[in-house]
Structure formats: structure tokens, C-alpha cells
């Protein structure tokens, strides 16, 4: 069944690659490259027994790992960061192969993951705690304590970057981890765990278990897993959150998005059009920060013409500036269904990406698509499509634009394009989103500012997933009050 060109992916448990516990009975799922739909490997559908094995390894490794100083743990991550830099091209090539990003996007995603590693390297200085003499002869101080074994469930769309949202901070804080990669992109993390071991991360500190729903449920339900992070659709994120809460388990589950861009009449047309196109078509639209609805205040024909021209100039491929495929046939079907429905409801298709599906006989392709709407109820204006599709709707006023954006059940990101500081301030204070941009369509914050949306884009404990939010999530505060010298006058604290 497995050949050299179609490797047999294995779990990584206690510092070595391991076959599933029920190796003979385990089923395998084909992994395909989106560029040509060819099978490039097979991933095991692990069971609860495999989760038990991984959690046991992580639990055994926790006492020694957590007893190291944070400076010691960060020193190991310095070596890991160096190895990630050394192997960045190889990791990017793996992302291109298994996910379909173009090479520049893939390399950028590796480097973006490195930013969180770099933040983790600063934690010895960041999490020193506080100390204060609160009364005569009495001091209070706090320290951060790791949780124990934590689980991280990550999606397909960023095989390196999203795992790096959680892994470096979690283990730097002294936790051990079981990570469940997406079954659609298992190769990249398989390489990264080897780099972690080469850097000096002890066996059992980081473990991988592959599969679909069963290992996720097993991780949530496992009594030795103290916290769970999840990134995926809002529907599943809410289910994960509810399941964890029933177990009184710490959880942070990030969901989907429908991000809005608003163009004021005074926007810089050249800059805005370039940024809008990059936002909706970059990474083939498969990112929760893609802004896919443009609300123009008034009819802005010159801006629309520029967006159309720049969208039509995009070509399919794996090189910088080209648009790669989407992840699988189910995604193609979903994206084209929304385009078809919008057209049937009377929307104008200004740029049509559907012909790419026929022009590229192999792989999973949908080209950049621009839809001009007149009906505010069109599904493409409201649902997360997760593809390179931009919906444009003209509105009469800033108040109408904000009303539409605020009515969005998600709350991940929003952007205002304007040349006016007053206009920018007006919108930023009124957006219903956790990450906002001024003339930046993909307003991803950089550490120490943390990543996280609002509303149905985030469920669970009210922390963000990176930066200081990650530190808060992956640790507990211990508060210590100390008295050594008897006080001359008594008080309630004596």
C-alpha cells in the first residue's frame, strides 16, 4: 500500500515515530497534493488508545520539564528557532506540496510561525511576576505555574504557523503537549517534531497524534489533559468549547470569520485596490483573516475597476504572486456553489474564477472571483466561503456600513480604508471585531500583541491564543504572602 513516494505517516510519541496501538486494525486516509490531486502519503486514523499512549508520555515528562527554569527551557527553544531558520526552505516546500500555497506564501507562513517562537524566547523576561510590600513586614509576590499536559488541535490552512501559535509558549511555560495536526496536512509537523528533538526538547514533551474526530474527542475527555486549544470552523469550535466546559476544563477554541473591509470616498485607490485583492485572494482565500466583503460608501467605480483589473491579472501557480489551489474537491464544490447561487440571485460576476476548474484538469482550482451584489441578503455576503471570492456591496453611509459589519455574527477582523485619521478613529471605535486594520486588510497583530477575535470567532476562556494571551492561557498564577519579622503593632494580617 505504501511506497517511497507515498510515505506511511506515523504518530510521534515519547520522542520517536510510533505505529498506532492497533496497527493491524488501523485505517489510513490518503493525503493528496492540491496541485494535482495525486496521493502523496497516507495518515493513520488514530484512536483513543493512541491518545492514551501520547498523554501518558506527556504526563511522565511533565515533572522534569516543569522543574527546569524557564530560562533553561527558552535556551532549548533558541536552538529550535535556529533549526527552523536553517530548514525554512524545506518546510516551505512541504507546505507547498501538502497545502497548495505558493512558495512565497509558504515561506512567509514559516517566518510568521517563527515570530511566536521568538516571543517565547523572551518569556524569561516577560513573566517574572510582581512583588510588593503590602504591609509593614509583609510582602506579596506571584509566580506562574504550568498547567500540565495540554492539547492543541490545529487546522489545515497553515501547517506551520498555527501550531506555532500554541506550541512554543505552552512548552516554554513548562507544559507538555499532545498536538493533533490536520489529517489533510500531516507532513510539516512530522518534520518539526524531529527539529524539536534535535534542539534538545526531551522525549515526551511534545507528541503528535494523527487522525480525525476520535483523537480530538479523546483528548478533550482525557482526565490528564488540563487544557485544550482548537482552531477550525465556528460550529466545531463551539462544540469543543461546550464539551470542555462540561468537564470544567480550560479551553480556547477559535472559529471562523466573515471579515469586512469598508472603503471611504477619500481612500487611496491604488493602495486600497492592491490591498483588497491581496486580502481576499492571498493563500487562495483559505485563512480566517481574509477580508472577503468590501462595503463601498457610495458607488466607487474607479476602485472597483482597479480591483477587477488586478484580480484578472492573477494567474494560477506556485510562484510568488500566483494563486495556488484550494485544499480539496469539497472546497471547490462549496466555493463554486456560493458563486452560482449569487449569480442566480441577480448578482453580477465581475471576475469569474470558475473556469479555472476546467482549465486545470488536475488538482483543486478556483480562480479569484469578484461579485457585485445589490441584495444584502445574498449568502455570499454572510457565510464564510473560505476561498478566493470577494463580495462588493455599495452602501449609502458610514452608519449603514457599520450596521452591516456589526450584524455579522463573527468578530475576527475588520478594516477601514481612508486618508482621514478622524474617519479611521470613528470606524475603529465602532467595529465589532477583535483585530482591526487601517488601510490593512489582513490586520494580523504581531507579538506581544495577541491573536484572537470576538463573538463567534472565539469560544472558551476569554484569552487570545498568542502573545500575552497565550501566556495567560497556558499558566496559572500562584500568589504568595510572606511575613518573617513579628510586627510591633497587630493588625488583621498579623
Amino acid at each position: 500500500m505504501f511506497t517511497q513516494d507515498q510515505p506511511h505517516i506515523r504518530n510521534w510519541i515519547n520522542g520517536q515515530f510510533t505505529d498506532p496501538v492497533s496497527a493491524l486494525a488501523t485505517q489510513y486516509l490518503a493525503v493528496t497534493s492540491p496541485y494535482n490531486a495525486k496521493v502523496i502519503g497516507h495518515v493513520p486514523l488514530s484512536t483513543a488508545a493512541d491518545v492514551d499512549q501520547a498523554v501518558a508520555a506527556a504526563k511522565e515528562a511533565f515533572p522534569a520539564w516543569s522543574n527546569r527554569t524557564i530560562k533553561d527551557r527558552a535556551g532549548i527553544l533558541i536552538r529550535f528557532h535556529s533549526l527552523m531558520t536553517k530548514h525554512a526552505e524545506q518546510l516551505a516546500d512541504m507546505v507547498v506540496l501538502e497545502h497548495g500555497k505558493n512558495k512565497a506564501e509558504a515561506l512567509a507562513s514559516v517566518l510568521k510561525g517563527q515570530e511566536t517562537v521568538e516571543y517565547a524566547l523572551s518569556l524569561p523576561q516577560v513573566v517574572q511576576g510582581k512583588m510588593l510590600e503590602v504591609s509593614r513586614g509583609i510582602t506579596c509576590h506571584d509566580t506562574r505555574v504550568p498547567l500540565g499536559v495540554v492539547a492543541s488541535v490545529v487546522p489545515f490552512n497553515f501547517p506551520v504557523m498555527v501550531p506555532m501559535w500554541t506550541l512554543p509558549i505552552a512548552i516554554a511555560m513548562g507544559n507538555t503537549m499532545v498536538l493533533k495536526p490536520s489529517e489533510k496536512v500531516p507532513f510539516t509537523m512530522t518534520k518539526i517534531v524531529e527539529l524539536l528533538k534535535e534542539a534538545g526538547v526531551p522525549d515526551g514533551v511534545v507528541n503528535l497524534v494523527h487522525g480525525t474526530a476520535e483523537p480530538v474527542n479523546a483528548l478533550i475527555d482525557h482526565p490528564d489533559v488540563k487544557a485544550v486549544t482548537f482552531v477550525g470552523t465556528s460550529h466545531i469550535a463551539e462544540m469543543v468549547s461546550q464539551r470542555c466546559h462540561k468537564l470544567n476544563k480550560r479551553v480556547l477554541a477559535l472559529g471562523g470569520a466573515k471579515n469586512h473591509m469598508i472603503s471611504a470616498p477619500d481612500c487611496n485607490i491604488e493602495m486600497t485596490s492592491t490591498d483588497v485583492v491581496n486580502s481576499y485572494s492571498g493563500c487562495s482565500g483559505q485563512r480566517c483573516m481574509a477580508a472577503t466583503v468590501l462595503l463601498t460608501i457610495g458607488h466607487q467605480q474607479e476602485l472597483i475597476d482597479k480591483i477587477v483589473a488586478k484580480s484578472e491579472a492573477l494567474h494560477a501557480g506556485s510562484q510568488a504572486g500566483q494563486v495556488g489551489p484550494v485544499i480539496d474537491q469539497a472546497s471547490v464544490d462549496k466555493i463554486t456553489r456560493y458563486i452560482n447561487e449569487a449569480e442566480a440571485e441577480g448578482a453580477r460576476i465581475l471576475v469569474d474564477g470558475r473556469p479555472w476548474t476546467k482549465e486545470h484538469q488536475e488538482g483543486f482550482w478556483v480562480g479569484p472571483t469578484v461579485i457585485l451584489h445589490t441584495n444584502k441578503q445574498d449568502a455570499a455576503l454572510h457565510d464564510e466561503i473560505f476561498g478566493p471570492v470577494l463580495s462588493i456591496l455599495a452602501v449609502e453611509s458610514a452608519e449603514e456600513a457599520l450596521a452591516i459589519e456589526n450584524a455579522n455574527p463573527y468578530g475576527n477582523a475588520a478594516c477601514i480604508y481612508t486618508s482621514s485619521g478622524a474617519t479611521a478613529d470613528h470606524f475603529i471605535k465602532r467595529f465589532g471585531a477583535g483585530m482591526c486594520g487601517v488601510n490593512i486588510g489582513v490586520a494580523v497583530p504581531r507579538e506581544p500583541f495577541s491573536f484572537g477575535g470576538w463573538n463567534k470567532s472565539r469560544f472558551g476562556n476569554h484569552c487570545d491564543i498568542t502573545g500575552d494571551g497565550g501566556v495567560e492561557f497556558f499558566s496559572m498564577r500562584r500568589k504568595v504572602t510572606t511575613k518573617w519579622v513579628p510586627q510591633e503593632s497587630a493588625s488583621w494580617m498579623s
Side-chain angles (χ1 to χ4, degrees), residues 414-425:
C415 170
I416 174 66
Y417 294 102
T418 180
S419 297
S420 164
T423 299
D425 185 67

Side-chain angles (χ1 to χ4, degrees), residues 19-220:
D19 287 322
V21 173
S22 304
L24 295 179
T26 299
Q27 295 180 325
Y28 287 83
L29 190 68
V31 180
T32 57
S33 174
Y35 276 98
N36 53 25
K38 291 182 179 178
V39 175
I40 56 175
H42 295 81
V43 64
L45 299 181
S46 301
T47 65
D50 301 300
V51 169
D52 288 343
Q53 191 179 60
V55 172
K59 183 178 180 180
E60 184 178 357
F62 174 70
W65 181 247
S66 60
N67 281 332
R68 293 192 182 205
T69 65
I70 191 170
K71 185 177 180 180
D72 185 23
R73 296 191 295 262
I76 294 174
L77 286 175
I78 290 174
R79 295 193 291 273
F80 172 64
H81 181 274
S82 178
L83 289 168
M84 286 278 286
T85 301
K86 178 181 178 181
H87 293 273
E89 289 285 341
Q90 180 187 5
L91 291 169
D93 287 338
M94 296 175 80
V95 172
V96 172
L97 175 67
E98 66 178 350
H99 175 270
K101 282 180 169 49
N102 71 42
K103 181 61 180 289
E105 291 170 341
L107 186 57
S109 74
V110 175
L111 299 178
K112 190 67 181 174
Q114 284 280 67
E115 290 181 7
T116 312
V117 180
E118 290 158 8
Y119 177 73
L121 303 183
S122 73
L123 292 181
Q125 288 72 46
V126 171
V127 298
Q128 295 178 56
K130 302 184 294 293
M131 185 173 184
L132 180 67
E133 186 177 19
V134 295
S135 186
R136 286 174 294 177
I138 296 176
T139 61
C140 286
H141 74 274
D142 65 358
T143 59
R144 289 197 177 267
V145 179
L147 307 177
V149 180
V150 298
S152 183
V153 181
V154 296
F156 73 85
N157 57 330
F158 285 94
V160 178
M161 186 185 78
V162 175
M164 292 303 108
W165 283 356
T166 58
L167 190 155
I169 296 173
I171 67 172
M173 293 305 296
N175 302 284
T176 57
M177 174 174 281
V178 180
L179 189 141
K180 208 291 286 182
S182 169
E183 67 278 7
K184 298 178 182 180
V185 291
F187 287 97
T188 312
M189 278 308 301
T190 299
K191 176 62 180 177
I192 286 176
V193 291
E194 292 183 299
L195 299 181
L196 285 164
K197 181 163 185 172
E198 185 178 348
V201 173
D203 294 347
V205 171
V206 177
N207 306 271
L208 290 187
V209 176
H210 297 284
T212 53
E214 183 172 350
V216 176
N217 290 332
L219 284 167
I220 293 171

Side-chain angles (χ1 to χ4, degrees), residues 300-359:
Q300 300 178 21
Q301 189 61 48
E302 186 179 358
L303 174 60
I304 293 173
D305 289 345
K306 285 274 190 180
I307 290 170
V308 167
K310 291 176 181 182
S311 298
E312 290 177 335
L314 295 171
H315 299 286
S318 61
Q319 301 306 308
Q322 296 179 324
V323 179
V326 295
I327 191 66
D328 55 21
Q329 186 59 45
S331 294
V332 172
D333 295 342
K334 177 184 177 181
I335 295 164
T336 54
R337 174 171 58 84
Y338 275 100
I339 301 170
N340 293 339
E341 289 177 357
E343 187 175 42
E345 292 295 325
R348 289 177 56 201
I349 310 300
L350 303 183
V351 180
D352 194 347
R354 290 171 294 185
W356 280 28
T357 304
K358 295 181 180 179
E359 292 169 6

Side-chain angles (χ1 to χ4, degrees), residues 25 97 183 201 213 218 292 375 440 475 484:
L97 175 67
E183 67 278 7
V201 173
T292 56
N375 183 358
I440 299 176
S475 64
W484 291 111

